[in-house]
Amino acid sequence: MDFLELLYRRESIRNFLDRKVERTKIERCLEASRLSPSACNSQPWRFIIVDEPNLKSEIAKATFSKLVSFNRFAQTAPAFAVIVAENRNLGSKFGGMVKDIPYHLIDIGIAAEHFCLQAVEEGLGTCMLGWFNEKRIKNLLDIPKKERIALVIALGYHDNKEPRKKIRKDLDSIRTYNKY
Ligand SMILES: Cc1cc2nc3c(=O)[nH]c(=O)nc-3n(C[C@H](O)[C@H](O)[C@H](O)COP(=O)(O)O)c2cc1C
């Protein structure tokens, strides 16, 4: 697929089909993430794939509540990738502190997008979930207290035939050349 075409096709999916995702496909999505660049090549991530039906239902429930219910759709997702931010090397940690920029979160954002783009290539859909009950997911997956979960990605098949029109700022409002 032409790369821009792939980018147009990637969209947040919020209505997954009741169909298991093959692990071979998940492995290729993970390989795409593994190849991501990162500050000082720190690779500050660990991916926990949750595809066991009972456990994945519990993860889904940890992404919404009565009060904040916009992630209720996560219950339809057959799998999740939980991305734990960890193992920053000294270079990235020190550089991030001095420059006051959380490089590890930039790294994880890139790795997450690699995952989502490969998912499109595999005929799958994703939705990144930034809203979740971190404590609950850490308990469910035995993630040590000191670690942070940066992002959860819902993953699965869907039957959206054509991508929605993208709602984006136009190029003229976000781009300048040679000055602010
Ligand atoms: C860091 C991050 C967190 C997000 N969290 C959520 C979320 O909790 N729930 C949700 O439905 N969508 C979430 N999204 C998806 C965005 O709403 C979506 O990417 C944006 O509206 C653009 O739409 P598109 O992905 O379909 O192109 C998140 C996206 C990112 C990058």
Side-chain angles (χ1 to χ4, degrees):
M1 203 185 304
D2 170 74
F3 186 61
L4 264 183
E5 170 70 16
L6 185 75
L7 297 179
Y8 280 117
R9 292 210 154 266
R10 199 246 14 112
E11 63 182 354
S12 296
I13 297 298
R14 298 188 176 89
N15 53 326
F16 293 99
L17 298 177
D18 184 14
R19 179 175 164 193
K20 204 173 154 49
V21 178
E22 300 85 342
R23 288 228 173 137
T24 48
K25 292 194 169 194
I26 296 176
E27 289 285 300
R28 282 194 293 269
C29 294
L30 291 167
E31 177 64 0
S33 288
R34 193 180 73 86
L35 297 174
S36 298
S38 56
C40 301
N41 203 18
S42 182
Q43 305 166 66
W45 44 61
R46 175 184 282 262
F47 297 80
I48 306 175
I49 300 297
V50 181
D51 61 356
E52 193 281 312
N54 292 327
L55 192 55
K56 77 97 194 159
S57 290
E58 291 304 313
I59 298 291
K61 282 185 211 156
T63 67
F64 68 92
S65 62
K66 265 197 187 128
L67 208 62
V68 186
S69 62
F70 54 84
N71 282 341
R72 198 174 281 276
F73 73 90
Q75 290 178 110
T76 66
F80 294 95
V82 175
I83 310 181
V84 182
E86 59 176 34
N87 292 335
R88 267 189 292 170
N89 61 22
L90 264 182
S92 170
K93 229 183 221 167
F94 183 70
M97 255 164 53
V98 172
K99 304 308 292 179
D100 192 21
I101 294 177
Y103 292 123
H104 65 297
L105 295 182
I106 296 176
D107 301 338
I108 285 173
I110 297 169
E113 179 67 352
H114 275 207
F115 186 101
C116 294
L117 291 175
Q118 183 62 30
V120 177
E121 182 69 26
E122 303 291 341
L124 297 163
T126 55
C127 188
M128 294 192 202
L129 305 176
W131 184 272
F132 49 83
N133 183 328
E134 184 179 11
K135 198 170 164 206
R136 202 155 143 200
I137 296 183
K138 277 164 101 170
N139 280 336
L140 286 165
L141 302 178
D142 292 332
I143 298 170
K145 266 205 177 102
K146 67 177 174 51
E147 307 295 359
R148 296 295 313 270
I149 300 173
L151 199 66
V152 175
I153 303 177
L155 173 73
Y157 285 97
H158 62 94
D159 61 5
N160 298 11
K161 300 283 178 281
E162 283 307 313
R164 299 183 295 273
K165 189 175 156 27
K166 294 259 183 275
I167 302 165
R168 295 293 189 267
K169 295 176 181 175
D170 58 43
L171 207 46
D172 284 338
S173 70
I174 61 168
R175 168 255 291 119
T176 53
Y177 286 102
N178 300 320
K179 67 172 190 170
Y180 180 79

